[in-house]
Amino acid sequence: MMRPFNYQGSPAKVLFGAGMRKQVAQAIADLGCRRALVLSTPQQAKDAETIAALLGERAVGTFAQATMHTPVEITELALQAMRDSGADCTVAFGGGSTTGLGKAIAYRLDTPQIVIPTTYAGSEVTPILGQTQAGCKETVRAASILPEVVIYDPELTLGLPVPMTVTSGLNAMAHAAEALYARDRNPISSLMAVEGLRALAEALPQITEAPRDLSARSAALYGAWLCGTVLGTVGMSLHHKLCHVLGGTFDLPHAETHAIILPHAIAFNAGAAAAELQPIAEIFGTTAPGAALHDFAVRIGAPTALKDIGLQEADLDRAAEIATANPYWNPREVTRTDIRQLLAAAWRGDAPTT
């Protein structure tokens, strides 16, 4: 018998296809807005100016200071830019850092958002904001945080470097993997999770061989959309808790942290959620989903050790303590000793053993 469930579809409008970025001005008009502030990171400032040019007189300028983990002090600067320019909406161009800034603005001002993703982060289709203040990362969920329009143009991902591609893709896969055993999962979220995992499992190796393969890039972006959507639909567990701690407290790079922790978190939960994680085993043709994800990460050249991305061995005890002080719901009981062992293995770059 099918278990009872609740399902709430996303009200966000999605425009998907090569060249779809050219629809951004019309998307702003459809929202009833007239003055857009274009957001980006400093590295994508020139690209943001190109987007602003597409908007013509609807663009009031660019704000190119978005940064990782959405620090509140950067949000305050962006809020002032919104006030100074008289902007009535934002266009966030880039990856998760820029999307996060747009969400932070919307959370405070309730202004409409359009997001044009250039990575596979997936946060553009969630009502979730992760922001940092004084070295702590908090997660906020609210209807105003969900962008109104998302424009997926795979042409904009053709130049995404392969190392960023694989870590961003694994970050997206982490959303779907944890959605499979989420306490509030439902048949629709599980279907989307499996389809997203399958799309990325097929596309990422193709992209490592041919980075400008538009078909593979489209498939990866499609998978990222699905994985992000399930992140916004159901609750997350141990994997995301660990990544929030490592990113917010130790300032580790977001996508790389997800890529490294994912196999270990899935292996940790595999015994308690064997049936739920069976689709991952089937996708990779194995019986051990955690080990399969580790082997996949190695195959596509993703980082596998926290020590290689900036975490010190001396930080492991503190990380385990923070992660278990207020844990998310998880299918397997979380103890400080177990999490310390998991983090140590991830720090060294070991393959998961359970």
Side-chain angles (χ1 to χ4, degrees), residues 47-68:
D47 294 322
E49 292 173 1
T50 300
I51 295 298
L54 287 175
L55 300 180
E57 62 183 19
R58 292 187 184 276
V60 296
T62 62
F63 180 88
Q65 298 183 50
T67 192
M68 190 171 59

Side-chain angles (χ1 to χ4, degrees), residues 170 173 200-201 204-205 284 291-301:
L170 285 165
M173 293 177 76
L200 283 161
L204 292 178
F284 291 106
L293 286 165
H294 175 82
D295 293 345
F296 179 69
V298 171
R299 176 187 169 196
I300 60 177

Side-chain angles (χ1 to χ4, degrees), residues 272-297:
E276 292 81 1
L277 291 171
Q278 181 62 28
I280 296 179
E282 292 175 354
I283 287 171
F284 291 106
T286 183
T287 58
L293 286 165
H294 175 82
D295 293 345
F296 179 69

Side-chain angles (χ1 to χ4, degrees), residues 25 38 68 70-71 134 175 227 261 279 286 292 300 304 306-307 311 326 352:
V38 180
M68 190 171 59
T70 318
H175 307 329
C227 293
I261 291 295
T286 183
I300 60 177
T304 58
L306 293 173
K307 65 181 181 180
L311 189 70
N326 185 26

Side-chain angles (χ1 to χ4, degrees), residues 248-268:
T249 304
F250 303 99
D251 200 33
L252 298 190
H254 182 84
E256 289 87 342
T257 302
H258 277 270
I260 293 168
I261 291 295
L262 176 59
H264 296 276
I266 295 303
F268 181 86

Side-chain angles (χ1 to χ4, degrees), residues 12-68:
K13 181 178 182 179
V14 173
L15 305 176
F16 192 106
M20 197 61 74
R21 63 189 179 280
K22 298 173 184 177
Q23 299 298 316
V24 61
Q26 185 60 51
I28 291 172
D30 290 345
L31 289 172
C33 296
R34 299 196 304 173
R35 299 175 61 82
L37 182 66
V38 180
L39 311 174
S40 78
T41 61
Q43 295 80 9
Q44 292 182 297
K46 289 185 177 179
D47 294 322
E49 292 173 1
T50 300
I51 295 298
L54 287 175
L55 300 180
E57 62 183 19
R58 292 187 184 276
V60 296
T62 62
F63 180 88
Q65 298 183 50
T67 192
M68 190 171 59

